[in-house]
Amino acid sequence: MDHPEAQDCVLHVFACGVAVFHLVQPHEPAALTDLAVWRYRSYASDLPWARNKLRDLLDEDHTRVPNPEYVLSLYWLTSGPWAGDSRDTALRLLSTPSVLVDRGAPGGPAPLDGTVEESLLATGFDHPDIVSFGVRGVSTAYAGWSGVAYASHSRERSLTIDELVTCELAVQALWCFTRQIQQMIEEGQDPSMPEQYGWRFLRAAYSRLTTARAQETAQHVLMREAIMKTSGLAERLRSAQDALRESVG
């Protein structure tokens, strides 16, 4: 797909009825705060853009096209001015960029004073919702609710961008799918889905995402566990599975 700012844009359409846009946007910000502000401000343009694209592709009435709800960021760090503990802290901040932004500013998301970033890089930063899945000497990696940050130290042994993206696409698609079921429940409906995407489909998805494979590397296992935990998808899959099983009767 064409996107006004992205280097690459691919629309992934899943058979269960979910569409996910994958945008690749290289940036060389002067500071982490600049990147964080860009990330939040991009919501104002990227979400309406995605909705309009879907409307054009479906050739549907404007009011019937669903509103995209979320933008998840995956940061692949290629270079930076940090070293040692500062580099580790920078990756943590990338996975939780909200600590560098005033999201309630009158004119929209605004940067906090530059001393905030400097102080955090100097003293360290941690958050209870951040989960590490890096391997010493191979990578530094963190997952949080707002995004995933990854820095490779050994190209031959680290995860690839495609491996990270593939995992994220699967998680986001299922997150959106279970969100639809949750909305039905909150609206007082008995949730229902086509039989091939009913509770057995969710049971299979849960097993595939939470069970290690015989030839799967430890890094893959750590990545999936971290992303599943911080996204809350495991609990959502179980709840949606129970709701669909009950509606079947």
Side-chain angles (χ1 to χ4, degrees):
M1 308 292 297
D2 293 325
H3 184 276
E5 296 181 4
Q7 174 179 295
D8 294 299
C9 175
V10 178
L11 172 61
H12 297 262
V13 182
F14 295 80
C16 61
V18 176
V20 179
F21 287 96
H22 174 219
L23 309 180
V24 179
Q25 297 172 287
H27 282 278
E28 295 183 17
L32 291 174
T33 300
D34 297 334
L35 184 63
V37 171
W38 165 82
R39 191 259 191 190
Y40 284 105
R41 287 181 177 173
S42 69
Y43 273 37
S45 56
D46 283 341
L47 290 175
W49 173 86
R51 185 177 190 274
N52 291 334
K53 275 292 183 182
L54 289 176
R55 181 195 62 197
D56 294 341
L57 290 168
L58 295 171
D59 195 24
E60 292 279 355
D61 175 69
H62 186 79
T63 59
R64 296 179 57 193
V65 177
N67 287 314
E69 290 191 80
Y70 195 64
V71 177
L72 181 89
S73 297
L74 168 61
Y75 303 100
W76 181 277
L77 181 65
T78 57
S79 63
W82 318 283
D85 291 342
S86 293
R87 184 184 181 88
D88 187 83
T89 300
L91 269 294
R92 289 173 181 265
L93 289 171
L94 280 173
S95 67
T96 314
S98 59
V99 298
L100 300 173
V101 179
D102 179 3
R103 291 183 288 172
L112 294 177
D113 188 282
T115 58
V116 174
E117 178 180 332
E118 294 175 5
S119 175
L120 291 173
L121 287 172
T123 61
F125 170 75
D126 199 4
H127 191 285
D129 293 333
I130 295 177
V131 177
S132 171
F133 63 96
V135 176
R136 184 182 296 275
V138 176
S139 64
T140 302
Y142 291 100
W145 173 258
S146 299
V148 172
Y150 192 89
S152 170
H153 308 316
S154 174
R155 181 177 300 179
E156 296 78 11
R157 295 185 293 159
S158 63
L159 295 170
T160 66
I161 294 178
D162 287 344
E163 288 169 330
L164 286 159
V165 169
T166 298
C167 180
E168 285 291 4
L169 286 171
V171 168
Q172 288 303 302
L174 288 166
W175 198 97
C176 292
F177 185 78
T178 55
R179 169 62 176 158
Q180 177 66 20
I181 296 171
Q182 178 188 20
Q183 286 181 314
M184 292 180 183
I185 295 171
E186 293 175 353
E187 291 170 359
Q189 304 178 39
D190 289 329
S192 63
M193 288 290 171
E195 184 177 354
Q196 66 266 42
Y197 302 113
W199 67 269
R200 290 182 178 85
F201 166 73
L202 293 179
R203 181 179 64 181
Y206 179 87
S207 177
R208 290 180 180 182
L209 286 171
T210 59
T211 307
R213 305 289 140 177
Q215 297 188 31
E216 190 175 31
T217 68
Q219 289 187 81
H220 280 91
V221 174
L222 291 172
M223 172 185 66
R224 281 192 298 99
E225 289 178 346
I227 292 175
M228 288 291 287
K229 180 177 181 179
T230 53
S231 67
L233 180 60
E235 294 79 5
R236 298 177 71 95
L237 285 171
R238 287 195 296 265
S239 297
Q241 180 182 324
D242 291 342
L244 290 178
R245 186 189 289 116
E246 290 173 5
S247 66
V248 171

